Amino acid sequence: MPSSVETLEFQAETRQLLRLVIHSIYSNKDIFLRELISNASDALDKLRLESLTGSLAEVDTSNLHISLKVDRGARTLTVRDNGIGMTRDDLVELIGTIAKSGTAALLEKIKESKDAATTESLIGQFGVGFYSAFMVADKVTVRTRRAGTDSGTQWESDGEGTYTIHAADDLPVGTSVTLHLKAADSEDGLADYLSEPKIRQIVKRYSDFIRWPIRMATDRTDADGETTTDLDTLNSMKALWARPRAEVSEAEYNEFYQQISHDWLPPAETIHMRAEGTFEYEALLFIPGQAPFDLYSRESKSGVQLYVKRVFIMDDCEALMPNYLRFVKGVVDAHDLSLNVSRELLQHDRQIQGVRRRLVKKVLGALKDMQSKDTDRYTKVWAQFGRALKEGLLEDTDNTEALLELVSATSTHDPEKTTTLREYVERMKDGQDTIYYLTGETRAMVENSPHMEAFAAKGYEVLILTDPIDEVWVDQVPAFDGHRLQSIAKGQVDLDESADGEKEGGADKSQREQDFAALLPWLTTTLSDHVKQVRLSSRLTTSAACIVGDTHDVTPTLEKMYRAMGQQMPIVKRILELNPTHPLITALRTAHHVDAEAPMLTEIAELIYGSALLAEGGDLPDPARFTRLLTDHLTRTL
């Protein structure tokens, strides 16, 4: 060892921090190679910049690269770059001391934190990823020479509290980091990092899009037993998001989408964007053409891939994309984040939240453009992801208007095509200021519902909403473009009002109320176990009766959904509406007038209520009793 070797001791706090990095911080030991390659890439970037703008214009930058070298005999793995390199002072500043200030405060936070992800993010803030090498190595040797200088330096440590540093001659410009590897240990998460397939796997996962080539010498034996050594480039360097859109072909976009999504179809839409300013990032997002099989399962993962300066950080970064856009695939490459940023830290980062807002607006804007310019393509996308997008009406109040513009639904206007809310409003009748809808399990059930009768007769369009989530969002959204959304199965519906606001048939309505003045209270009392009120209806034309809810009542379908999820729901009594012109109802009124105490009238009342319940797809409270009463009354008529 040269006489000029200095042995220096880490500070006590730094030793504690180093011990944490080596033994406790990183749950995935593979990332040591990601860290070293990222550092090498930064060194190449700095040399390229200095050659263009600084005092190193004479330096040859025509073959900048990163090389990996395996020596099985010595059990070493070397990561080398021909970048800017370091001086002795740089080594002491950047590697010899983990953190010049704040180390004590950092250690205190780590001790307080019981979350491994949070701890890792704290470490990442101090840029000590280099020390992850000690997770897999007994000793690390750094040999480096700064571009523009004549002498080099060697730094070496076993990570136990001291390091040595001395001058080294005849070093090329750049930096090499040699890891004297520990033996593979599957129980401790230590893979065989001398294995070529393992190295290729790590590079492919974390560093595939690094802009500089990552090369490794590979021995190959031909059929004649002769061995040759080839220099393979392990990474693709094809970070499509970093290239101008005009330079990327549709085939390249499709290939990249299929690579990250495992979808064999091309995407329905590609979104390529770049943001500059206080927080720089590039994004390449895809709206798929078909929904994955697990889109609505609890195990479905949401979010896009996060990179930092082309280095892979994590899959499914939920902080960058809301759950209702979980079908969006793609990449966001941020320039100003730590490589070791955690999911928890991302959730609370103001700049990340700003990126998220811009990404959401970009996706919703792309969908709106598709809706206006390519209706057929949008219809297919909505069929695949409309249910998920409607979840946004419950989760994302900032974008309610944009999401409502995207809503597409079937309606009574056209038996084949869907309609948007905007198109519905444009077709509304003169004097109509309400958007009418009816929810149900199927289109057929909704179309045949008694609630539809008066609307069909008078030519009012009604939206037919059959997604389970429709039961929820329509109650959360008060209006669209100033027009209130109203269920035709809730509240009072009066279609007898003319365009000038005058009531039509006012005298007839008043007379009917007088005619039924005795029957309605009697029915309300008789059916009090099931309904809270019986009243005359203006929404029926052919059916005898229907059941409606008050304006803010929970619908029966939603009530079933909550109970299926194990939530206890109070029993909600609804309203029975009668058609005053139906022969059954007029006959009941006459019979009640003749003998209000007749036992048969109570049975008829139960049959009317049960029939109305069945007509809307409801469940009878006592099916056996209903069947017996119906059979008895049918028998008497024969």
Side-chain angles (χ1 to χ4, degrees):
M1 185 176 294
S3 58
S4 59
V5 170
E6 294 180 78
T7 299
L8 305 177
E9 189 172 299
F10 293 122
Q11 297 174 358
E13 292 171 348
T14 307
R15 284 201 300 273
Q16 295 178 48
L17 184 54
L18 179 56
R19 195 171 297 115
L20 280 169
V21 172
I22 297 171
H23 300 293
S24 306
I25 299 304
Y26 296 99
S27 57
N28 178 12
K29 292 181 169 54
D30 288 357
I31 67 165
F32 82 92
L33 190 53
R34 179 195 77 177
E35 299 286 341
L36 297 181
I37 289 175
S38 178
N39 290 344
S41 178
D42 286 344
L44 295 170
D45 288 337
K46 290 176 182 176
L47 180 60
R48 178 67 181 274
L49 181 63
E50 285 288 328
S51 71
L52 295 174
T53 62
S55 58
L56 300 177
E58 75 285 353
V59 174
D60 181 11
T61 58
S62 61
N63 187 30
L64 298 180
H65 65 277
I66 301 165
S67 64
L68 306 179
K69 182 180 179 182
V70 170
D71 186 333
R72 285 194 164 274
R75 287 198 57 76
T76 61
L77 171 63
T78 300
V79 180
R80 190 186 189 290
D81 66 77
N82 56 347
I84 190 110
M86 291 178 280
T87 64
R88 180 191 182 284
D89 291 342
D90 291 335
L91 273 172
V92 173
E93 177 76 16
L94 300 175
I95 297 180
T97 304
I98 293 181
K100 290 180 62 177
S101 62
T103 308
L106 175 62
L107 284 169
E108 191 62 32
K109 287 182 179 181
I110 291 174
K111 291 176 183 176
E112 293 173 359
S113 174
K114 297 179 181 180
D115 180 10
T118 302
T119 305
E120 185 170 322
S121 74
L122 292 171
I123 290 291
Q125 294 174 38
F126 279 75
V128 294
F130 166 81
Y131 283 89
S132 62
F134 286 103
M135 295 187 301
V136 300
D138 293 316
K139 182 172 67 176
V140 177
T141 303
V142 179
R143 295 166 64 82
T144 183
R145 178 182 144 208
R146 169 87 181 187
T149 65
D150 297 325
S151 60
T153 309
Q154 177 171 309
W155 179 100
E156 193 169 80
S157 176
D158 59 7
E160 292 298 326
T162 63
Y163 61 92
T164 63
I165 191 167
H166 63 82
D169 297 328
D170 301 324
L171 295 184
V173 169
T175 300
S176 68
V177 181
T178 299
L179 285 68
H180 302 262
L181 293 169
K182 300 176 182 177
D185 184 347
S186 58
E187 291 185 3
D188 194 33
L190 278 170
D192 179 8
Y193 296 113
L194 296 171
S195 163
E196 178 186 325
K198 182 62 178 177
I199 292 173
R200 288 178 180 272
Q201 174 198 346
I202 297 174
V203 172
K204 186 70 176 175
R205 175 166 177 77
Y206 292 106
S207 308
D208 193 43
F209 303 116
I210 292 286
R211 73 168 67 187
W212 309 108
I214 303 171
R215 299 170 181 163
M216 183 169 68
T218 303
D219 292 335
R220 290 185 173 85
T221 303
D222 59 21
D224 298 327
E226 294 185 6
T227 301
T228 58
T229 301
D230 297 327
L231 200 59
D232 288 351
T233 298
L234 306 185
N235 59 324
S236 70
M237 299 175 285
K238 293 181 179 179
L240 297 189
W241 61 83
R243 293 161 54 186
R245 180 159 193 159
E247 297 179 5
V248 185
S249 68
E250 183 178 357
E252 288 178 301
Y253 280 133
N254 291 348
E255 180 184 1
F256 181 72
Y257 164 72
Q258 290 168 347
Q259 175 187 337
I260 64 173
S261 67
H262 310 293
D263 185 4
W264 59 276
L265 291 175
E269 185 66 35
T270 300
I271 303 168
H272 195 161
M273 58 185 292
R274 179 184 179 89
E276 297 179 341
T278 56
F279 190 81
E280 294 187 8
Y281 65 92
E282 292 112 4
L284 180 54
L285 307 177
F286 301 95
I287 299 173
Q290 67 176 6
F293 71 93
D294 63 345
L295 181 63
Y296 299 107
S297 73
R298 290 185 178 181
E299 289 73 28
S300 175
K301 294 181 179 180
S302 61
V304 296
Q305 293 182 354
L306 175 64
Y307 282 72
V308 173
K309 298 180 188 174
R310 304 196 189 186
V311 177
F312 175 77
I313 303 301
M314 67 179 73
D315 274 318
D316 310 313
C317 182
E318 303 96 334
L320 288 168
M321 198 63 64
N323 186 59
Y324 72 90
L325 292 179
R326 58 188 174 276
F327 56 86
V328 175
K329 303 298 180 183
V331 166
V332 174
D333 188 354
H335 294 193
D336 304 306
L337 289 176
S338 161
L339 290 183
N340 302 311
V341 67
S342 71
R343 293 182 185 272
E344 181 178 347
L345 192 65
L346 287 172
Q347 292 288 352
H348 300 95
D349 187 280
R350 291 178 59 187
Q351 290 179 318
I352 289 295
Q353 292 305 307
V355 173
R356 174 188 171 116
R357 286 191 294 271
R358 288 189 286 273
L359 294 179
V360 170
K361 290 187 181 299
K362 199 73 175 179
V363 171
L364 298 183
L367 288 169
K368 181 61 180 173
D369 288 344
M370 188 191 304
Q371 183 191 61
S372 59
K373 297 175 182 177
D374 193 340
T375 305
D376 291 342
R377 185 160 55 107
Y378 179 75
T379 299
K380 293 176 182 177
V381 169
W382 178 263
Q384 296 292 317
F385 306 111
R387 180 177 162 192
L389 285 164
K390 284 185 282 191
E391 293 174 15
L393 293 168
L394 308 176
E395 303 170 6
D396 189 357
T397 55
D398 291 339
N399 290 296
T400 296
E401 290 302 319
L403 286 164
L404 285 175
E405 290 283 359
L406 296 175
V407 169
S408 185
T410 55
S411 84
T412 55
H413 174 71
D414 191 311
E416 302 294 334
K417 295 182 179 179
T418 58
T419 184
T420 66
L421 297 181
R422 179 67 58 194
E423 290 168 339
Y424 180 102
V425 169
E426 291 171 353
R427 289 192 299 265
M428 288 198 310
K429 295 166 68 73
D430 291 341
Q432 178 185 349
D433 62 357
T434 301
I435 299 173
Y436 295 113
Y437 70 87
L438 184 59
T439 59
E441 292 184 16
T442 66
R443 179 179 183 126
M445 288 181 64
V446 173
E447 285 183 320
N448 295 321
S449 169
H451 302 101
M452 280 283 195
E453 293 173 0
F455 290 87
K458 294 182 179 291
Y460 283 90
E461 182 178 355
V462 178
L463 297 177
I464 300 172
L465 306 178
T466 55
D467 270 344
I469 195 170
D470 291 333
E471 297 282 352
V472 185
W473 76 260
V474 289
D475 285 334
Q476 301 293 319
V477 177
F480 169 74
D481 196 26
H483 300 282
R484 183 169 59 93
L485 277 73
Q486 179 177 343
S487 169
I488 65 172
K490 284 186 178 183
Q492 292 276 11
V493 173
D494 192 351
L495 300 180
D496 290 333
E497 190 173 281
S498 63
D500 59 6
E502 293 295 325
K503 292 287 183 178
E504 299 175 352
D508 293 340
K509 185 175 181 180
S510 178
Q511 182 61 50
R512 285 198 301 268
E513 290 175 352
Q514 292 180 24
D515 294 342
F516 285 87
L519 179 64
L520 296 180
W522 176 81
L523 281 172
T524 299
T525 301
T526 301
L527 298 172
S528 60
D529 288 344
H530 308 296
V531 301
K532 58 184 172 185
Q533 183 187 1
V534 180
R535 68 190 183 198
L536 297 181
S537 178
S538 63
R539 72 185 92 209
L540 297 174
T541 60
T542 58
S543 297
C546 69
I547 299 177
V548 301
D550 270 340
T551 303
H552 301 294
D553 279 354
V554 174
T555 66
T557 304
L558 187 57
E559 191 176 339
K560 288 180 186 177
M561 288 169 54
Y562 283 137
R563 285 180 177 157
M565 293 186 291
Q567 296 190 30
Q568 296 298 319
M569 294 291 296
I571 296 176
V572 178
K573 292 183 180 180
R574 299 166 71 209
I575 300 165
L576 179 66
E577 288 194 351
L578 304 180
N579 180 355
T581 63
H582 194 279
L584 175 59
I585 303 303
T586 56
L588 177 62
R589 184 196 68 190
T590 302
H592 180 265
H593 179 72
V594 172
D595 183 4
E597 301 298 326
M600 180 184 69
L601 296 184
T602 300
E603 295 178 352
I604 295 294
E606 288 186 51
L607 287 172
I608 291 173
Y609 169 73
S611 299
L613 198 59
L614 288 174
E616 71 165 10
D619 298 324
L620 293 169
D622 189 345
R625 175 174 172 78
F626 179 85
T627 303
R628 186 172 63 253
L629 290 177
L630 181 61
T631 303
D632 290 346
H633 282 271
L634 288 174
T635 302
R636 292 173 198 163
T637 63
L638 295 176

